[in-house]
Amino acid sequence: MEPRKIPRFLIFLLLLPLAASAGWLREDAAIMGTAINVELWHADADRGRALIRSVMNEMHRIDSLMSSYKPDSELSRINAEAAERPVTVSTELLALIGQALEYSGITHGAFDITYASAGQYYDYRRGTRPDSKQLAEALPAINYRHVRLDSEHSTVQFLQPGVRIDLGGIAKGYAVDRSITMLLEAGVRNALVSAGGDTRVIGSHWDHPWKIGIRDPRDGDGIVSTLPLEDAAISTSGDYERFFDEDGVRYHHILNPGTGDSPREVHSTSIIGSNATATDALSTSVFVMGVRKGLKLVNSLPDTEAIIIDNQG
Ligand code: ADP
Ligand code: MG
């Protein structure tokens, strides 16, 4: 039957359930050791829910590739073997490590995935940290120049023993970007994806910009500011996410690669930019660099803004 011969009321009846199921959808999950939140608008709620599921699957996929906690991840294989010989990895992991090394260059080493050479000795749940001997041994291994990538053969090699890498400062932003790309390719125009402190939004929420709150670093539920954002990414790094206090000193999950200790000049840094891989890496970087050097870096980069809460609040 030719389309135009379908009676109009029939078309109306066929479209009715579609229109009725359009709307805003939201799901939360715990993946990559953090809270994942996906919100989107879709004209077909079933299709929208399927897309959210594929985003969650993508997060799981990236986690099993890049987690340092999973012994069979590609990343763990690098850490186990790359000091002995070049380790063949996926082009995807190679590319993200390559990006991480670029941020090391831009930040003069404030962002450095080899921080983990010392970071491995911290346990924030137990409240333990490296003793001075462990730290002295680990420090020479912290240097992004020890990581050699061979893109032709897709291999990673460490040029020094004792080197460990961890992508905790960039992988969540990357996962958020991958998710947003998937949603855009599927035709979604209004969405939010967040993984812990890394968020990216496209379009708007109802007919307003998305609103992203910046937490008060010393008040669990408090919000110091709410930012309206459209088609932007924002990442916050804070000293209140994973930490322990000892004799009035806070040891938290961001480390200065030069000292193997936590920086204490600022309490949180938020970076606003166009993609979450960049804002994730930069929020960690600016945290390490502090107010003066951090803002100088931010001002030198296109499409990049910062909100820093220093240790005076
Ligand atoms: P969150 O993981 O809470 O989103 P961040 O984006 O600030 O916070 O990243 C902190 C994580 O970055 C740490 O848990 C650690 O895995 C990693 N990291 C810590 N210090 C550095 C550093 N100097 N360079 C690169 N990565 C780091
Ligand atoms: Mg970060």
Side-chain angles (χ1 to χ4, degrees):
M1 175 162 52
E2 278 174 48
R4 87 170 81 96
K5 285 189 184 151
I6 300 174
R8 262 191 195 193
F9 78 94
L10 235 182
I11 292 180
F12 177 75
L13 282 180
L14 280 171
L15 287 177
L16 198 58
L18 251 185
S21 75
W24 285 100
L25 304 164
R26 174 185 172 135
E27 264 174 54
D28 299 275
I31 309 170
M32 302 196 293
T34 198
I36 308 294
N37 170 221
V38 182
E39 288 179 62
L40 57 81
W41 191 90
H42 205 288
D44 174 349
D46 286 338
R47 178 82 187 111
R49 272 187 283 271
L51 285 171
I52 294 182
R53 268 196 304 281
S54 57
V55 164
M56 298 301 186
N57 288 340
E58 179 67 0
M59 299 271 185
H60 280 296
R61 186 187 68 80
I62 292 171
D63 188 37
S64 39
L65 198 64
M66 304 185 180
S67 168
S68 58
Y69 297 101
K70 301 195 166 169
D72 54 349
S73 71
E74 274 195 22
L75 189 105
S76 295
R77 211 157 44 74
I78 294 173
N79 279 333
E81 298 170 21
E84 318 279 325
R85 68 191 85 86
V87 177
T88 306
V89 298
S90 62
T91 50
E92 184 180 15
L93 184 56
L94 194 86
L96 190 63
I97 295 175
Q99 265 191 287
L101 298 180
E102 277 171 28
Y103 282 104
S104 298
I106 295 171
T107 63
H108 305 290
F111 188 85
D112 191 332
I113 55 176
T114 67
Y115 87 90
S117 313
Q120 61 177 321
Y121 298 114
Y122 285 87
D123 187 327
Y124 300 98
R125 255 181 238 167
R126 290 200 186 132
T128 54
R129 59 193 174 92
D131 57 35
S132 47
K133 184 169 168 283
Q134 283 171 320
L135 201 55
E137 278 173 14
L139 281 182
I142 304 182
N143 188 336
Y144 64 96
R145 294 186 179 87
H146 295 327
V147 181
R148 169 163 299 169
L149 301 186
D150 178 342
S151 47
E152 198 184 324
H153 301 100
S154 202
T155 59
V156 183
Q157 187 176 11
F158 296 155
L159 305 179
Q160 166 120 346
V163 175
R164 273 181 83 91
I165 59 171
D166 190 300
L167 294 173
I170 193 170
K172 286 194 286 266
Y174 172 74
V176 166
D177 281 341
R178 281 284 313 148
S179 304
I180 290 288
T181 301
M182 284 171 57
L183 294 176
L184 282 170
E185 281 170 357
V188 173
R189 288 295 168 262
N190 300 286
L192 173 151
V193 177
S194 74
D198 304 298
T199 303
R200 183 165 159 193
V201 296
I202 50 174
S204 51
H205 188 217
W206 300 97
D207 49 358
H208 301 291
W210 293 92
K211 293 196 181 68
I212 311 296
I214 296 191
R215 278 175 58 183
D216 181 334
R218 289 298 178 269
D219 170 6
D221 304 319
I223 299 288
V224 291
S225 180
T226 302
L227 306 180
L229 294 177
E230 288 180 25
D231 298 314
I234 177 165
S235 294
T236 297
S237 294
D239 65 0
Y240 50 84
E241 290 287 351
R242 275 189 286 146
F243 69 93
F244 62 91
D245 291 323
E246 190 184 304
D247 301 328
V249 178
R250 178 155 300 192
Y251 297 89
H252 61 84
H253 68 151
I254 298 168
L255 294 187
N256 179 338
T259 62
D261 191 12
S262 299
R264 300 189 180 87
E265 185 194 326
V266 309
H267 287 169
S268 87
T269 55
S270 300
I271 303 288
I272 301 127
S274 53
N275 74 81
T277 309
T279 58
D280 189 6
L282 289 171
S283 68
T284 310
S285 308
V286 171
F287 197 109
V288 172
M289 297 169 91
V291 177
R292 200 181 55 81
K293 285 188 184 162
L295 285 181
K296 197 173 162 212
L297 170 69
V298 167
N299 287 330
S300 75
L301 298 171
D303 299 326
T304 310
E305 309 291 337
I307 296 174
I308 303 177
I309 302 177
D310 69 10
N311 58 15
Q312 304 304 302

